[in-house]
Amino acid sequence: MGQVLEFVNIYKAFPGVQALQDVSFRADGGKVTALMGENGAGKSTLLKILSGDLRPDRGHVSFNGEVKHFMSPHQSLNSGISVIYQERQLINSMNVMENIFLEDMPGNKLGIINRSELKRRTQEIIDAFGLPIRPTDIVGNLSVAHQQMVEIMKAYRRDSAVIAFDEPTAPLTDKEITILFKLIRQLREQGRIILYVSHRIAEIFQITDEIVVLKDGRLVRTFNTPETTERELVRAMVGRDIGDTYANLKRNDKIGEALLEVKNLVTDYVHDVSFTLRRGEILGFAGLIGAGRTEVARAIFGVDPVHSGEIKLEGETVRFKSPRDAIARGIMLCPEDRKEQGLILQRSIRDNVTMPVLSQLRKGIFLDRKSETALAKEAVRKYSIRTPSVEMQVMQLSGGNQQKTILGRWTSEKIETKILILDEPTKGIDVGTKAEVYQMVCDFAKQGIGVIFISSELTEVLNVSDNIIVMHNGHITGRVSRAEATEENVLEMAMRI
Ligand SMILES: Nc1ncnc2c1ncn2[C@@H]1O[C@H](COP(=O)(O)OP(=O)(O)OP(=O)(O)O)[C@@H](O)[C@H]1O
Ligand SMILES: [Mg+2]
């Protein structure tokens, strides 16, 4: 008989939130079971119960008929369960092999590590994945995509019967996604139990066999993947039909004069980049991960030094030395990495949202708490951030709701914005909220703001933007209007050498 993992009547509450309520389902060996649901639906909480990081208030997990009450991650691992988290857990200062074998280094009884053995075994795993990295590379120096792959190799190495992935592809390039999917198919052939969490619906149809949908902590439906449709799945998740997101957008039809002109920009990472952003225009930046789009944004925003070229804002040549200078002139950047470049996790939603406008919220030497709270509540409403209050620590929000908080910060009505740069704004955001984010981007354009919209999701960047710039290897390799753009021609430009 095959392996079976069961969740039985699981309940879990956090202060102010019932994260899971009476969730029961089974996942079989030899199948990939998807967990889907809106941001805050309870997916990661369920996986943390499986991994022994959290204990359920009621209910239990049962594995091959045996009831399990994991008191620690160690116990779960020892039962053959590996969970790959939404947030990376690697130690950046250590190298690849030390990270992969962290919990059981090959060595002798005295605890002396056999480094050549360690290296050999790590190389074997790297070869199985076909990745261009070395066992001795320091993890902190690897690209985010490769760091994520190290995380996956670490779980693979343990040879677990159950492997759970929480949004594994969010930081991966197409190349790594192909490697990952090949691996997942292998693991499935071997009869393992695979749980897979993702907001990318196309992936769900590509790689999973069954789908479990959670909504507000309850299981609403399960599907056999081949027997359902995208529309039906979205309706189960969101609770209503969202229709054709792109066709329903109310767009800006008055694109104005030039707002930002970039000519022959050169930095350490980008070469000879020239483009114009107009008032009310949504200018998309498409390309593969690592194409240099974030680096263009950073140069404009005064983070990375500009070696040569010209940046003109409303006709006047500017060269910002720091983000502070750029912000003072009405340029806002909503960064791609919400953790490293943005949120203060220990602070509340309110503190995080109001950070850039604190000086406006002062009354004499005091902060105007009421206005602060109002502004934060507005962000929570606009982006449907799932939280009991604006006092909640950002750390306690689900991944997607953290992403919404950073969007809320950089798009608050108190900020006078001329140019809004959004770098991967919908990463980890659920399908219903994505549609709302697109409409908000169009609304900014209607107000005359020029929007730079960087996204690795081809469909979204092609359908939301008025015009699209394609980058590859630090160069611009193509420009098309929305009407001219197809996934094929843009991909071809994105891969041009
Ligand atoms: N440590 C915690 N303290 C308080 N509340 C928490 C904590 N962890 C999770 N929550 C809450 O539990 C709910 C479920 O969160 P969870 O992270 O499981 O959502 P998710 O389905 O993984 O969402 P996403 O798609 O955004 O990752 C959310 O409302 C979240 O704020
Ligand atoms: Mg999550």
Side-chain angles (χ1 to χ4, degrees), residues 12-20 36-48 54 86-87 166-167 197-199 214 217 338 386-388 392-402 404 428-430:
K12 178 73 191 176
F14 295 110
V17 194
Q18 188 67 44
L20 292 170
M36 292 207 79
E38 295 175 288
N39 298 127
K43 306 175 296 292
S44 296
T45 303
L46 199 62
L47 294 192
K48 284 179 190 154
L54 288 175
Q86 197 167 4
E87 317 296 346
D166 198 350
E167 293 187 44
V197 177
S198 175
H199 289 291
L214 297 177
R338 58 183 178 249
R386 186 164 195 257
T387 178
M392 183 98 153
Q393 268 188 335
V394 166
M395 198 161 47
Q396 296 172 339
L397 296 178
S398 77
N401 284 308
Q402 292 181 6
K404 296 172 186 176
I429 287 189
D430 63 55

Side-chain angles (χ1 to χ4, degrees), residues 317-346:
T317 301
V318 291
R319 178 80 54 104
F320 303 124
K321 287 192 205 64
S322 72
R324 188 188 297 261
D325 297 345
I327 292 170
R329 294 295 301 272
I331 302 182
M332 304 301 146
L333 169 72
C334 188
E336 146 183 58
D337 193 317
R338 58 183 178 249
K339 291 276 174 60
E340 273 167 31
Q341 300 150 21
L343 297 169
I344 306 168
L345 296 178
Q346 299 77 13

Side-chain angles (χ1 to χ4, degrees), residues 209-262:
D209 303 292
E210 289 185 349
I211 306 169
V212 172
V213 178
L214 297 177
K215 186 166 173 57
D216 300 331
R218 294 173 190 268
L219 189 151
V220 290
R221 250 192 104 163
T222 56
F223 292 102
N224 225 323
T225 313
E227 289 165 15
T228 186
T229 61
E230 182 171 332
R231 184 156 170 216
E232 198 177 25
L233 180 59
V234 170
R235 197 187 308 135
M237 275 196 296
V238 184
R240 63 190 154 85
D241 253 321
I242 60 169
D244 184 342
T245 310
Y246 301 117
N248 291 344
L249 281 180
K250 293 187 246 344
R251 302 176 189 266
N252 174 36
D253 48 15
K254 292 189 290 289
I255 294 180
E257 74 275 26
L259 192 56
L260 182 78
E261 291 160 275
V262 174

Side-chain angles (χ1 to χ4, degrees), residues 12-13 22 67 98 123 137 175 183 221 251 329 334 372 390 464 469:
K12 178 73 191 176
D22 202 16
V67 173
E98 289 159 349
Q123 190 63 53
D137 288 341
K175 214 194 238 156
L183 173 88
R221 250 192 104 163
R251 302 176 189 266
R329 294 295 301 272
C334 188
E372 262 195 289
V390 295
V464 174
I469 287 183

Side-chain angles (χ1 to χ4, degrees), residues 49-62:
I49 287 172
L50 179 65
S51 69
D53 278 283
L54 288 175
R55 263 167 259 164
D57 300 333
R58 278 161 63 189
H60 64 266
V61 170
S62 121

